[in-house]
Amino acid sequence: MKLLLEKAHIENIRLYDVYRREGGYRSVEKALKMTPDEIVDQVKRSGLRGRGGAGFPTGMKWSFIAKPEGVPRHLVCNADESEPGTFKDRYLMEFIPHLLIEGLIVSSFALGSNVTYIYIRGEYAWIVDILEQAIIEAKNNGWLGKNIQGTGFDCEIYVQRGAGAYICGEETALIESLEGKRGNPRIKPPFPAVKGVWDRPTVVNNVETLAAVVPIINMGGDEYAKIGVGKSTGTKLISACGNLNKPGVYEIDMTISVEEFIYSDKYCGGIANGRKLKACIPGGSSVPILPANLLLKTAKGETRYMNYESLSDGGFATGSMMGSGGFIVLDEDQCVVRHTLTLARFYRHESCGQCSPCREGTGWMEKILKNIEYGKGKMSDIDLLWDIQSRIEGNTICPLGDAAAWPVAAAIRHFRDEFEWHVFNPDECLKRNYGLAHYADERALAV
Amino acid sequence: MSEQQLFKVTIDNITIEVPAGTTILNAARKIGGDVAPPAMCYYSKLQGSGGKCRTCLVEVSKGSEKDPRPMPKLVASCRTTVMDGMEVKNITSPRVTDARAGVVEFLLINHPLDCPICDQAGECHLQDLGYDHGKAGTRYEFQRRTFHKVSLGDYIQLHMTRCILCYRCVFTADQMTAKREHGVLDRGDHAQIATFIERNLHNEFIGNVIDVCPVGALTDRTFRFKNRVWFTKPVDAHRNCPTCCGEVQLWMRGDEVFRVTARKDEWGEIKDSSDGKTGWICNTCRFEKKHISDWVIEGPSNINRHSVISQGHYVGVEKPAETFEKVMDGRKPRYFMDIHNVSEVNRPDIELSLLDGPATAKIFDEPQKDNK
Ligand SMILES: Cc1cc2nc3c(=O)[nH]c(=O)nc-3n(C[C@H](O)[C@H](O)[C@H](O)COP(=O)(O)O)c2cc1C
Ligand code: SF4
Ligand code: SF4
Ligand code: FES
């Protein structure tokens, strides 16, 4: 089922006229006739959860925003998308920019934000032009600016480019950066809902979250909630990459199984080059990696589905997280140690350096992993790695510390034998790959 | 305004009442002693400081009277305010001491440990932290991060290698001076304190960054390598300064003034001056008044911190009940020199100072004879 990308491939949908002809901006017409509280209520009923990573219920987040008398409020769209393996927001903004603008207008109206910002990662330079073009078109047609559609509601949208820092995706760092400062996460509380941009109440939401507001208003919150299962309502964009036959951005309703997503021709079309599935990170680089046997089936032996609850079934011991929907697949030719090293290098480079555990710990982990990967590791290094990650996790200002610790923890938890093989075979590990061991996908083994 | 609300908070089983809005750290400091968590980045005189170094982590075992749930994570006590009925564990929580040892280890892995040649040694908070909460060994086996030394003008030297990125100097410059000229460049473990394209720091009050720096990353160029802090004696003095409060501490040896600093309280922070404001001092007082005639001497400073700089003027230190005489079976203590003069242990009859040349075993083997 497609709600967001349904029309994304119509020719010239980027242009306002085509978008409008296809039913665009209907949700704004509808929303402007409602009260802001009614819109928030619809979003609450829809069960929409934040698509930026944490999965926090959006309606609830909106109802937390403080409303002091005479203080402007702001909505900020988080388009910083820098999580390795995640590229769904880019797809949405690139192909169907008006959908985001439409969602932003409705959400701004619901939250009472007269000045709304899109904070976009600097590397998406060409998308800035696309978005600005869409904003100009929307403004020329009376959807933005002063007194929108004669309702007395004013709204402006500005696009702000980041300068290429992953940490500026963290909402408080984003706010600092938006204010023109160094992108260091703030210490919470106060939360952005009370003191955000320029100390004003602020809501930060992901691109996909805000775009999803459009179908919610169009079809009604209750109707939207019927799609999907349990607390995973609506559709989710998954950016699949790695050793797949058909990597790309897929919109799924969250009822399909992981197996179907990987192997069916409708989605990823199986593992590339006839290889076997070894492991997968189902929700962007920050979430724990899962070996094939735990990916397709939970520890209890039940089928694992592509939704929030099922992916996190088993906690961190045997489960993972939905995260941002960056689905990274590793086949039998990939080395988990090398892969973990790559991630550790990323987090070391992206740590803002405020808190000592994250600043020093990420660098230390990278160095140890490098030793192990290049055959210079010791057995005690594996335990040391475990100890370091446990001392970072939970002891930092922002979740980047956790995000740096989890991948290392999960790799050691599930692939300890591969680390040990590197230690015991320092020469061989430079020449060949450890392969599948016991965590191979049974289905693929039979082939 | 109505009377300020008081919250009851229990830290390490000691209960006190503090005004609403107080942080756990400040509440613990009121109790004092070991209950106060160590703070490497928080500085009560600087707005917005704290929350970064994570040495002050504590466990909140009970959120408040209304909501008794414990907090799942350890929290930074310097940035968490107390709630009524809150229960906090600091040194009584193994989780806290363990996490703190971890933080100390993290702070030290890239530290050069060049204390023997560092001007801060003896009054360094990182040294104290390491001794009090760290482990003896290190598990770090890699090259440490290094930077070049930079002179930020005639007065201040930046040793980035030693910096723990507490941001105190940045806040100081931000809040004390009209135009901040230094800040943090880069990210993560390659972040550094820097002036963009090595400029000098010019500002009447910029010298205070030396006082707030917990380690030897920012040092006084007019004092560098002149002396060790424990050889100099702290003396309170003041002068009539048109720019600042003029209330300082002179660090003297004989009647030579080696160094001038602001006065510090028991937490190592700059004390309030007699007019009730924070006793920041200006560059002129700090760097240029190095003669005893520039100052009105008030007397030796009383220092109530445990550190080599206390110089015998301890405040609040308990003396043991036993006297020397009691411990030494009625013998009176002697001067240190006595011990070296006479070998009391085995041959009190041999006066060491009268020997020709060094004392050797042979001398002690000789039978006893009358000593002149
Ligand atoms: C280190 C870090 C990076 C993040 N990067 C992004 C990002 O690139 N895009 C995003 O939408 N959210 C990102 N987030 C999540 C945001 O902090 C925030 O939770 C999100 O924007 C909230 O939007 P949502 O409720 O719509 O999910 C990041 C969080 C952390 C801790
Ligand atoms: S956890 Fe890392 S990225 Fe987040 S504030 Fe601390 S140092 Fe910065
Ligand atoms: S130079 Fe000193 S005061 Fe400044 S951040 Fe580094 S350690 Fe802190
Ligand atoms: S003193 Fe609290 S985190 Fe540094």
Side-chain angles (χ1 to χ4, degrees), chain B residues 25 38-42 50-57 76-79:
Chain B
L25 184 85
M40 296 296 288
C41 65
Y42 172 75
K52 301 191 197 301
C53 70
R54 318 306 284 179
T55 56
C56 70
L57 291 175
S77 60
C78 62
R79 292 296 293 260

Side-chain angles (χ1 to χ4, degrees), chain A residues 50-52 61 78 80-82 169-171 204-206 209 399:
Chain A
R51 307 294 198 225
K61 188 171 187 170
N78 186 345
D80 193 61
E81 195 168 57
S82 323
E170 199 281 335
E171 51 187 5
V204 182
N205 272 129
N206 176 252
T209 316

Side-chain angles (χ1 to χ4, degrees), chain B residues 263-301:
Chain B
R263 295 182 193 172
K264 313 269 183 76
D265 64 13
E266 59 183 310
W267 311 113
E269 296 180 0
I270 294 179
K271 268 187 196 164
D272 287 351
S273 59
S274 45
D275 60 3
K277 292 196 201 117
T278 309
W280 308 107
I281 62 168
C282 67
N283 284 4
T284 316
C285 287
R286 184 185 299 271
F287 301 116
E288 274 156 23
K289 301 292 171 193
K290 290 286 180 79
H291 207 272
I292 196 151
S293 60
D294 294 326
W295 299 97
V296 182
I297 307 283
E298 295 168 18
S301 311

Side-chain angles (χ1 to χ4, degrees), chain A residues 48-58 61-62 76-83 86 88-89 119 121 165-174 185 188 203-210 286 308 323-324 346-347 350 398-401 403:
Chain A
L48 176 66
R49 294 171 67 169
R51 307 294 198 225
F56 193 80
T58 306
K61 188 171 187 170
W62 285 12
V76 179
C77 171
N78 186 345
D80 193 61
E81 195 168 57
S82 323
E83 176 113 339
T86 313
K88 63 189 176 65
D89 296 344
Y119 184 93
R121 70 179 291 196
Y166 170 58
I167 191 59
C168 289
E170 199 281 335
E171 51 187 5
T172 53
L174 184 151
K188 295 185 257 189
V203 166
V204 182
N205 272 129
N206 176 252
V207 170
E208 191 192 340
T209 316
L210 292 167
S286 305
Y308 289 95
S324 59
F346 173 79
Y347 287 108
E350 297 297 336
C398 88
L400 189 136

Side-chain angles (χ1 to χ4, degrees), chain B residues 92-150:
Chain B
T92 48
S93 159
R95 231 175 112 202
V96 170
T97 42
D98 186 50
R100 195 168 286 155
V103 173
V104 177
E105 186 174 29
F106 284 134
L107 281 176
L108 289 176
I109 60 169
N110 273 315
H111 193 80
L113 298 174
D114 56 348
C115 310
I117 54 146
C118 175
D119 278 314
Q120 188 87 1
E123 54 177 24
C124 175
H125 292 231
L126 191 59
Q127 277 186 326
D128 293 348
L129 183 81
Y131 285 124
D132 289 349
H133 304 283
K135 299 208 171 91
T138 179
R139 299 178 289 177
Y140 190 71
E141 296 175 340
F142 302 92
Q143 199 171 3
R144 286 161 196 259
R145 169 185 65 212
T146 50
F147 294 91
H148 289 293
K149 281 177 268 205
V150 190

